[in-house]
Amino acid sequence: MPDPTRPETAVPDPTLRGAAGPGSAAAGRRYPRPTKEQLAAAADKLLPDLIAPGLDVLFVGINPGLWSAATGWHFARPGNRFWPALHRGGFTPRQLHPSEQDELPGLGLGITNMVARASARADELTAEELVAGARELTAKVARYRPRWVAVVGVTAYRIGFARPKAGFGPQPEPLAAARLWVLPNPSGLNAHFTPETLGAAFGELRAAVAG
C-alpha cells in the first residue's frame, strides 16, 4: 500500500492553485473552483500528509474529500470549518487559507487522515478501512512522535480504535507515546456544532497543549 506520508503518492492539480502560491500575500484571494470533472477524477486519490517529527499536535481527519484531493489542500472544501476553528481555538495567529497549510509545521502543527483515499463523503468508508487506518496511524505516530494527536471525528475514532463509548476531549489511553484527544468533525454537515462551539472545542485542546 502506498505510504501517504510520501509526497509522490498524490499530485495536486497545479491549475487549481491560481497565480499565487501557498503562503503568499494573495493566499486569501478566491481560487478557481474545481470542475465537476476534476472532482470526479479526484476520487480515490491520496493526499500527502502535512507532517514532521516532534510536532505539538498532529490533527487527524477522517479521509480527504474530493475538493481536498483535487486541490492538494487539507480541509479545502468551502464550508469546512477546520481552518476557522483552528484560529478561534488559538492555534494560529490568523485564519489561514487552506493554500497556506505549509505554515502549520512552523507552528508545531500537522495534518494526516485516518484513511488516505479521497471520497465524496466520509460515510463511504468501510469499518475495515477505518480499522486498518487506525493501525497505520498508530505506526505513523510512533515514527514521528508528536506530543498530542487530535482525531477530528468521534465516530471514525470509535470505529477505528474499537472504542464504542468514546466521547469528545482527552482520551484515557495514549496513542503510541502521544496523548490523545477527540475533536468534533468540522464539516459543514455537522449541525451539532456551531462555529463558536467548534472553536471552543479546539480551544480546550489548545489550553491542554499549552498547559
Side-chain angles (χ1 to χ4, degrees):
M1 181 174 180
D3 181 357
T5 67
R6 297 174 61 187
E8 62 266 31
T9 60
V11 181
D13 187 341
T15 65
L16 298 174
R17 291 186 178 271
S24 71
R29 297 176 185 170
R30 184 180 299 275
Y31 285 79
R33 298 169 66 92
T35 65
K36 290 182 179 179
E37 292 75 18
Q38 288 168 326
L39 290 174
D44 295 327
K45 277 190 175 182
L46 305 182
L47 182 63
D49 288 343
L50 188 68
I51 197 168
L55 295 170
D56 290 328
V57 184
L58 178 63
F59 291 94
V60 183
I62 301 171
N63 76 312
L66 299 184
W67 200 292
S68 289
T71 61
W73 306 328
H74 291 272
F75 300 103
R77 184 179 179 84
N80 191 290
R81 298 169 294 177
F82 175 81
W83 296 99
L86 204 63
H87 175 52
R88 285 177 181 267
F91 283 102
T92 59
R94 60 182 175 84
Q95 182 176 322
L96 299 178
H97 184 270
S99 67
E100 298 178 283
Q101 63 180 21
D102 289 343
E103 294 192 14
L104 289 187
L107 299 172
L109 310 174
I111 304 175
T112 186
N113 287 283
M114 285 273 288
V115 175
R117 75 173 182 91
S119 65
R121 295 175 60 94
D123 59 13
E124 295 177 23
L125 303 178
T126 66
E128 289 77 13
E129 283 182 289
L130 290 170
V131 170
R135 289 196 298 266
E136 293 180 14
L137 176 63
T138 301
K140 191 179 302 181
V141 171
R143 176 182 177 186
Y144 285 97
R145 301 184 65 82
R147 291 177 53 218
W148 289 82
V149 172
V151 179
V152 185
V154 68
T155 301
Y157 174 75
R158 288 170 176 169
I159 296 172
F161 287 93
R163 301 283 191 272
K165 297 183 179 180
F168 297 113
Q171 304 302 306
E173 66 281 339
L175 184 61
R179 298 186 66 180
L180 185 60
W181 195 283
V182 174
L183 288 166
N185 187 339
S187 168
L189 298 176
N190 184 359
H192 297 290
F193 286 83
T194 66
E196 292 74 21
T197 58
L198 190 63
F202 275 65
E204 291 177 5
L205 171 60
R206 179 71 181 89
V209 172

